[in-house]
C-alpha cells in the first residue's frame, strides 16, 4: 500500500479509491452512497470518480463534493448500427484515457457500479493489476458487469440466485445502497401528507415516473382525470410527471383537474412523499425498488420496456413472484393500471400483505457491507 507510515499491513485500508459508472440516477446514487460510507469509515481516503462526458454524473458528483474525470464513451446503438463506428472510436479513446487515469491516480481498488464509463475504467484497472469490486443493482446482470466479472475480486449483489451470471465464490449479498435521508423522514404520515399539500385524513397514492417521467404512467393519470374516474376515487394522488412531459400533461388535463390530485414535474422532498404515500406506483428501477423494500411501501410496478436486457421486468417479477408488489406490464398499463390501483386501495389486507412481504426483501446497511467487501479485497491483495 502507499504511505506505509500511515498504516500497517495488518490494518490495511483504502487510501485511494476509484469509483466508476453512471449515466442514470440509478447508478449515480449508489456510487455516491458507497463514497460517503468510505469517507465515514476512512475520512482521509482519496476518492476519484470516472464518469461519461455529458451525462448527469458530471454535475451530480462534484455537487456531492467529489472529484470526477469524464470519458468520451457512449452506449451501443442497437437501432442504427451504422452509428456504432463513432461509438467504437469513442470507446478506443476512452480506453486510452482510462489507462492514463489509473496510471496517474494509482488506486488501491477500483469499484464499478455499471453504466457506460465503468467498462473502460475497470478493464484498465484489471489490466494494470488493480483489484476490482463490482456492484450489480439489478436482478438481471448488465452486460458490462458480466464482461468484467471473470477478473473481479468481489461482486456485490441485491438479489438471490445471481450465480447464474457470476462465479458463486465472488458474490457478496449486500443489497443496494439507498440515500440515508429517505429512511429517516422525521415526521408522521399525517404530517407528511400536510407537507405535500394533501388532506392528512385521506389515503394517498404516489405516482412516480423517475427523474425523466414515464409517459405510460402519465397517460394513465390523464385517462383517469379526463374520464372523471380520478375525481370519484376515495383517495388522493400525488402525480410526478417529469420535466420533459410536464407541459403536455398540464395541457391534457386543463380544466378537469380534481382538487384531490396534485401534478408536479419534480419532487424535491422524496422522503416526505414516500412517508405520505399509502401506495406507490412506479417504474421498476433497482434503486427505487431498494427504497420501497427498506420503507416497506406497498407498490404497483410498471417496468420500463426501454432499458437494456429488459432488466426492469426481471426486477419487478422478482418481487411479484414473492407477493411483495403488484406488477402491470407497460403495454397493459393504460387499460389496466388505474383499475388495479383502485382494487389494491380498496383492500386494507392487500396493502398490509404487500407491505409485510416487500419489507422481508429489504437488505439493510448495504453501503457498510460494500465497504467491508472493498476493505477485504485490499487486505487480500499482496501488491497493495
Amino acid at each position: 500500500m502507499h504511505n506505509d507510515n500511515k498504516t500497517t499491513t495488518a490494518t490495511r485500508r483504502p487510501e485511494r479509491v476509484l469509483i466508476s459508472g453512471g449515466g442514470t440516477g440509478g447508478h449515480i446514487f449508489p456510487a455516491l452512497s458507497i463514497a460517503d460510507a468510505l469517507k465515514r469509515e476512512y475520512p482521509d481516503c482519496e476518492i476519484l470518480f470516472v464518469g461519461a462526458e455529458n451525462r448527469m454524473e458530471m454535475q451530480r458528483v462534484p455537487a456531492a463534493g467529489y472529484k470526477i474525470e469524464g470519458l468520451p464513451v457512449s452506449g451501443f446503438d442497437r437501432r442504427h448500427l451504422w452509428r456504432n463506428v463513432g461509438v467504437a472510436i469513442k470507446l478506443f479513446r476512452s480506453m486510452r484515457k482510462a489507462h492514463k487515469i489509473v496510471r496517474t491516480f494509482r488506486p488501491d481498488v477500483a469499484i464499478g457500479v455499471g453504466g457506460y464509463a465503468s467498462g473502460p475504467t475497470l478493464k484498465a484497472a484489471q489490466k494494470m493489476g488493480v483489484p476490482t469490486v463490482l456492484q450489480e443493482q439489478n436482478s438481471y446482470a448488465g452486460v458490462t458487469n458480466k464482461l468484467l466479472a471473470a477478473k473481479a475480486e468481489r461482486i456485490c449483489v441485491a438479489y438471490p440466485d445471481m450465480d447464474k451470471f457470476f462465479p458463486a465464490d465472488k458474490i457478496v449479498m449486500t443489497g443496494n445502497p439507498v440515500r440515508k435521508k429517505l429512511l429517516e423522514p422525521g415526521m408522521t404520515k399525517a404530517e407528511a401528507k400536510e407537507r405535500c399539500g394533501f388532506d392528512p385524513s385521506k389515503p394517498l397514492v404516489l405516482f412516480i415516473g423517475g427523474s425523466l417521467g414515464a409517459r405510460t404512467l402519465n397517460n394513465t393519470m390523464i385517462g383517469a382525470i379526463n374520464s372523471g374516474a380520478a375525481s370519484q376515487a376515495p383517495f388522493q394522488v400525488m402525480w410526478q410527471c417529469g420535466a420533459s412531459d410536464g407541459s403536455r400533461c398540464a395541457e391534457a388535463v386543463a380544466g378537469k383537474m380534481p382538487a384531490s390530485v396534485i401534478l408536479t414535474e419534480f419532487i424535491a422532498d422524496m422522503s416526505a412523499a414516500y412517508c405520505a404515500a399509502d401506495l406507490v406506483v412506479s417504474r421498476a428501477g433497482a434503486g427505487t425498488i431498494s427504497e420501497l423494500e427498506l420503507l416497506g411501501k406497498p407498490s404497483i410496478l410498471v417496468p420500463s420496456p426501454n432499458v437494456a436486457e429488459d432488466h426492469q421486468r426481471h426486477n419487478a417479477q422478482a418481487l411479484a413472484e414473492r407477493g411483495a408488489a403488484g406488477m402491470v406490464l407497460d403495454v397493459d398499463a393504460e387499460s389496466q393500471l388505474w383499475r388495479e390501483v383502485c382494487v389494491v386501495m380498496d383492500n386494507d389486507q392487500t396493502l398490509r400483505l404487500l407491505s409485510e412481504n416487500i419489507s422481508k426483501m429489504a437488505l439493510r446497511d448495504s453501503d457498510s457491507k460494500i465497504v467491508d467487501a472493498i476493505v477485504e479485497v485490499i487486505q487480500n491483495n499482496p501488491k497493495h
Side-chain angles (χ1 to χ4, degrees):
M1 233 187 166
H2 313 294
N3 302 339
D4 284 336
N5 60 320
K6 282 168 68 180
T7 186
T8 68
T9 51
T11 57
R12 282 188 202 155
R13 53 197 182 73
E15 290 186 352
R16 289 193 183 92
V17 180
L18 201 59
I19 302 178
S20 185
T24 65
H27 289 129
I28 297 161
F29 292 132
L32 288 171
S33 295
I34 294 166
D36 291 344
L38 277 163
K39 277 289 187 188
R40 276 199 305 275
E41 197 84 18
Y42 306 101
D44 56 351
C45 77
E46 202 180 332
I47 296 172
L48 177 65
F49 279 77
V50 180
E53 287 173 3
N54 306 318
R55 304 291 292 196
M56 62 195 288
E57 59 263 31
M58 300 309 290
Q59 282 77 46
R60 293 285 175 91
V61 169
Y66 296 101
K67 292 183 219 160
I68 187 165
E69 295 264 3
L71 302 181
V73 67
S74 63
F76 187 75
D77 194 327
R78 290 175 172 85
R79 288 186 190 154
H80 310 96
L81 294 178
W82 54 272
R83 286 187 187 160
N84 292 310
V85 175
V87 172
I89 292 166
K90 285 180 182 175
L91 182 60
F92 176 71
R93 285 172 50 218
S94 296
M95 286 298 298
R96 285 181 61 179
K97 189 169 181 184
H99 269 96
K100 189 179 174 190
I101 291 167
V102 174
R103 196 168 59 244
T104 306
F105 186 61
R106 293 179 308 153
D108 298 302
V109 65
I111 303 156
V113 298
Y116 300 143
S118 67
T121 309
L122 273 281
K123 196 81 184 156
Q126 289 176 346
K127 273 188 179 173
M128 295 164 82
V130 176
T132 57
V133 175
L134 305 180
Q135 202 246 333
E136 176 53 66
Q137 291 118 23
N138 295 295
S139 65
Y140 193 90
V143 169
T144 303
N145 279 348
K146 281 193 278 194
L147 291 172
L148 294 165
K151 291 187 177 173
E153 303 295 321
R154 289 283 180 279
I155 302 157
C156 300
V157 302
Y159 289 89
D161 308 319
M162 294 302 282
D163 53 357
K164 58 179 175 274
F165 304 110
F166 303 127
D169 60 336
K170 296 183 178 187
I171 293 172
V172 188
M173 191 77 162
T174 59
N176 289 322
V178 165
R179 290 166 282 178
K180 286 268 183 280
K181 190 178 182 308
L182 292 181
L183 308 181
E184 298 152 6
M187 64 191 97
T188 65
K189 184 178 271 194
E191 287 167 347
K193 282 177 182 172
E194 274 194 296
R195 184 178 290 194
C196 295
F198 291 93
D199 182 338
S201 66
K202 288 183 181 169
L204 176 67
V205 177
L206 172 62
F207 264 74
I208 40 173
S211 53
L212 302 172
R215 206 172 176 88
T216 307
L217 298 188
N218 291 341
N219 288 346
T220 299
M221 278 307 305
I222 290 167
I225 290 166
N226 287 339
S227 68
S231 57
Q232 289 161 22
F235 52 81
Q236 309 168 96
V237 179
M238 187 175 191
W239 171 22
Q240 183 251 317
C241 65
S244 59
D245 212 12
S247 52
R248 181 185 77 94
C249 292
E251 284 166 22
V253 297
K256 295 186 180 174
M257 182 77 95
S260 58
V261 178
I262 293 178
L263 170 64
T264 178
E265 290 186 1
F266 177 74
I267 298 172
D269 191 349
M270 270 309 295
S271 60
Y274 272 143
C275 184
D278 296 279
L279 176 71
V280 178
V281 181
S282 168
R283 287 304 201 191
T288 300
I289 287 179
S290 295
E291 291 165 1
L292 296 171
E293 288 171 348
L294 288 161
L295 294 165
K297 283 290 164 184
S299 56
I300 297 172
L301 302 171
V302 185
S304 170
N306 310 314
V307 292
E309 287 102 26
D310 203 16
H311 67 244
Q312 286 205 6
R313 185 174 60 81
H314 293 283
N315 291 350
Q317 238 160 357
L319 271 70
E321 285 165 2
R322 292 167 172 83
M327 179 171 84
V328 176
L329 293 179
D330 191 83
V331 69
D332 301 323
E334 287 182 40
S335 60
Q336 295 177 19
L337 180 57
W338 182 259
R339 190 166 66 241
E340 185 71 14
V341 169
C342 293
V343 168
V344 172
M345 286 300 288
D346 195 39
N347 192 322
D348 287 342
Q349 191 182 353
T350 301
L351 284 167
R352 193 170 60 252
L353 270 175
L354 286 171
S355 178
E356 285 171 10
N357 290 340
I358 200 168
S359 293
K360 286 175 193 165
M361 294 188 72
L363 292 163
R364 298 178 192 282
D365 302 316
S366 299
D367 51 3
S368 298
K369 289 174 186 166
I370 292 168
V371 169
D372 290 344
I374 291 164
V375 173
E376 187 195 349
V377 163
I378 290 170
Q379 288 173 344
N380 292 342
N381 186 50
K383 292 184 187 175
H384 284 68

